[in-house]
Amino acid sequence: MNDDRPLTRLDMLRFARRVVEHQAARQLALMDRWIADEERREAERQRRLATGQAAPEWLIERGLNGRSAVYVHVGGCAGAGGRTKGADRDQAVRALTEGGVPACPLCRPDTVLGILE
């Protein structure tokens, strides 16, 4: 392009098209990564189901640091994050009563366990 002449409307439209094309390609690549991640998670879930591994009855969700507990969940809670570990009834009760770990506000394991605040 010659720098001596001003950009025409057609030049600007072609530039805008290239920008949109580039942004769309980046968004599609991002969406493809999300799809691949979800496919991996689903495949893992299917493998666990196929091996007969029963879902834990209770879950304890850890914080980002991996040490502190954030919530106690009923097994299968939709609100449980990816940093959960299966627990038995006694561990869940201890976490709620002695450990001071809050109950998930969605699945309310304290109600299921009969622990009232």
Side-chain angles (χ1 to χ4, degrees):
M1 210 178 239
N2 189 351
D3 291 332
D4 295 339
R5 67 176 179 89
L7 291 176
T8 66
R9 183 171 170 81
L10 185 57
D11 292 333
M12 290 186 280
L13 287 170
R14 286 184 177 139
F15 174 75
R17 185 188 186 290
R18 285 193 309 272
V19 169
V20 169
E21 185 177 30
H22 177 72
Q23 288 175 340
R26 290 185 64 195
Q27 290 299 315
L28 284 172
L30 179 61
M31 187 65 69
D32 288 342
R33 282 197 309 272
W34 289 346
I35 289 169
D37 290 344
E38 190 60 31
E39 287 172 342
R40 278 191 295 276
R41 281 191 288 273
E42 181 61 21
E44 178 59 32
R45 189 180 75 76
Q46 291 298 328
R47 274 193 298 278
R48 279 195 311 268
L49 289 174
T51 60
Q53 217 176 25
E57 193 173 352
W58 310 101
L59 299 170
I60 297 178
E61 182 176 354
R62 299 286 173 189
L64 291 175
N65 65 7
R67 290 184 300 270
S68 61
V70 178
Y71 283 121
V72 175
H73 299 274
V74 172
C77 174
R83 297 176 309 274
T84 59
K85 183 177 180 183
D88 61 25
R89 179 182 173 83
D90 292 336
Q91 290 171 324
V93 169
R94 274 197 314 274
L96 288 167
T97 57
E98 299 168 13
V101 180
C104 170
L106 297 175
C107 63
R108 299 305 303 185
D110 52 347
T111 304
V112 177
L113 288 166
I115 301 169
L116 300 175
E117 296 176 11

